[in-house]
């Protein structure tokens, strides 16, 4: 088993639909938390993270750090949203990484499709 397992409920994303994901960490060493970076390819638009582990995020963030202290059983669930209306289909790159002392330990990448 890898040190990080990252899943999206669906890799088919549409404007204003809720994106749900889960990260499970089995890294045996000490770590500070996980970070999720997202890039909408061929676009200057951003994703907006709405919540993690049931806690709402009050400001718009396009990069999400989840501290290990708020990850019961080393698990994090998050929700996000993309709001712009695409003129074409875009590939969306999600990258979840384990962070230890400002260094990336291991990561996993998922690609999704964003369209109307």
């Amino acid at each position: 088993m890898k040190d990080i397992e990252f899943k999206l409920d669906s890799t088919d994303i549409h404007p204003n639909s809720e994106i749900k994901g889960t990260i499970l960490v089995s890294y045996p060493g000490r770590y500070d938390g996980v970070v999720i970076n997202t890039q909408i390819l061929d676009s200057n638009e951003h994703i907006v993270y709405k919540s993690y582990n049931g806690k709402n995020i009050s400001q718009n963030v396009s990069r999400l750090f989840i501290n290990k202290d708020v990850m019961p059983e080393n698990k994090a669930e998050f929700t996000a949203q993309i709001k712009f209306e695409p003129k074409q289909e875009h590939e969306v790159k999600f990258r979840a990484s384990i962070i230890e002392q400002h260094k990336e330990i291991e990561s996993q990448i998922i690609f999704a499709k964003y369209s109307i």
Side-chain angles (χ1 to χ4, degrees), residues 41-60:
L41 303 178
D42 297 324
S43 169
N44 291 328
E45 301 290 340
H46 297 281
I47 191 170
V48 176
Y49 290 95
K50 297 292 186 182
S51 70
Y52 63 91
N53 288 351
K55 179 182 171 188
N56 287 334
I57 300 170
S58 58
Q59 69 272 32
N60 287 345

Side-chain angles (χ1 to χ4, degrees), residues 3 5-9 14 17-18 25 28 30 34 41 52 60-64 73-74 76 81 91 101 113:
D3 291 338
E5 293 287 329
F6 177 34
K7 293 185 297 202
L8 294 176
D9 284 4
H14 303 286
S17 64
E18 188 174 63
V25 178
R30 294 172 40 136
V34 295
L41 303 178
Y52 63 91
N60 287 345
V61 294
S62 56
R63 179 178 180 268
L64 181 62
E73 300 175 14
N74 295 315
Q81 196 173 47
E91 201 168 35
Q101 295 183 356
K113 179 181 73 170

Side-chain angles (χ1 to χ4, degrees), residues 2-109:
K2 294 186 280 187
D3 291 338
I4 187 169
E5 293 287 329
F6 177 34
K7 293 185 297 202
L8 294 176
D9 284 4
S10 174
T11 56
D12 194 18
I13 304 169
H14 303 286
N16 298 309
S17 64
E18 188 174 63
I19 302 164
K20 292 182 180 182
T22 306
I23 301 168
L24 187 60
V25 178
S26 59
Y27 179 65
R30 294 172 40 136
Y31 69 99
D32 301 318
V34 295
V35 68
I36 309 164
N37 290 300
T38 308
Q39 182 180 9
I40 302 170
L41 303 178
D42 297 324
S43 169
N44 291 328
E45 301 290 340
H46 297 281
I47 191 170
V48 176
Y49 290 95
K50 297 292 186 182
S51 70
Y52 63 91
N53 288 351
K55 179 182 171 188
N56 287 334
I57 300 170
S58 58
Q59 69 272 32
N60 287 345
V61 294
S62 56
R63 179 178 180 268
L64 181 62
F65 177 78
I66 303 173
N67 193 304
K68 177 186 175 197
D69 297 339
V70 296
M71 292 176 54
E73 300 175 14
N74 295 315
K75 183 178 180 180
E77 296 177 332
F78 66 89
T79 62
Q81 196 173 47
I82 303 173
K83 293 187 176 185
F84 79 97
E85 292 283 333
K87 291 179 176 51
Q88 65 185 46
E89 185 177 290
H90 292 274
E91 201 168 35
V92 183
K93 179 181 174 183
F94 290 84
R95 182 177 180 170
S97 307
I98 300 170
I99 303 297
E100 179 184 11
Q101 295 183 356
H102 306 289
K103 288 183 265 177
E104 184 180 296
I105 301 301
E106 186 172 334
S107 68
Q108 182 178 346
I109 295 173

